[in-house]
Amino acid sequence: MSLQKTSITFSPGRAGDTPAYIALRGKTRQNAIGQERLAELGITAASWAEMIESGNLPGQVCHQDGKLIGYCFGDRESGEIVVLALLPEAEGLGIGKALLDRMMAELRTAGHARLFLGCSSDPQSRSYGFYRHLGWKSTGETDQYGDEVLEYLFT
């Protein structure tokens, strides 16, 4: 995929697009979570849409030629980066970093000096190196899913 031959756009996440967000989440290369498992966790298109509409779950999405290829959502109240997901063909192009940067800026504007997220503790996982390369640091804690908690402190 070449960025010169395609149209890449970023925009805020929309409540009406949550079925597409759920579908994409099941197509990621690592840590794919399908619709059934998300529902078991209490995440449905309706619940996700409600959180977006309430303003508690802002997000940034990316489209390539009109097709959803990635997104990042955060919790406005806690400062958690809840999810960053990309289709495999969108990896390695800087889209994940761009989405994360946009979401981090939005949460910083909301008043957060510290952000956090859950990340695989396996050094073989793409997310392990990705976040650390961008300045995220381990807190030494794990979340309810067994993921390592990383934090980012704005200076």
Side-chain angles (χ1 to χ4, degrees):
M1 177 168 66
S2 170
L3 291 178
Q4 290 79 17
K5 298 178 183 177
T6 63
S7 169
I8 302 290
T9 58
F10 294 91
S11 60
R14 299 183 329 180
D17 294 335
T18 56
Y21 304 153
I22 287 176
L24 185 146
R25 189 68 178 90
K27 297 176 184 175
T28 58
R29 184 184 312 275
Q30 292 182 334
N31 199 25
I33 302 175
Q35 182 175 353
E36 297 78 20
R37 178 66 181 133
L38 288 172
E40 290 171 8
L41 297 171
I43 302 167
T44 64
S47 69
W48 197 336
E50 183 178 310
M51 291 171 61
I52 292 171
E53 288 172 346
S54 74
N56 291 335
L57 191 71
Q60 292 291 318
V61 302
C62 181
H63 290 86
Q64 176 190 26
D65 296 331
K67 175 188 173 191
L68 178 69
I69 59 170
Y71 56 76
C72 185
F73 283 84
D75 185 314
R76 184 174 306 282
E77 292 180 17
S78 70
E80 178 183 11
I81 298 295
V82 177
V83 62
L84 172 60
L86 289 175
L87 290 177
E89 61 265 25
E91 293 175 359
L93 302 173
I95 292 169
K97 181 182 181 311
L99 286 165
L100 181 63
D101 286 349
R102 284 170 165 78
M103 193 69 257
M104 289 173 66
E106 189 166 342
L107 292 174
R108 185 175 190 182
T109 299
H112 293 282
R114 173 191 180 265
L115 304 180
F116 69 98
L117 55 82
C119 178
S120 173
S121 60
D122 178 359
Q124 299 302 311
S125 171
R126 290 176 57 81
S127 63
Y128 183 93
F130 173 78
Y131 291 112
R132 284 164 177 79
H133 175 75
L134 297 175
W136 292 76
K137 307 284 185 205
S138 176
T139 64
E141 301 171 10
T142 57
D143 66 15
Q144 70 265 28
Y145 305 110
D147 288 329
E148 183 176 16
V149 177
L150 304 181
E151 68 180 356
Y152 186 93
L153 302 174
F154 291 106
T155 54

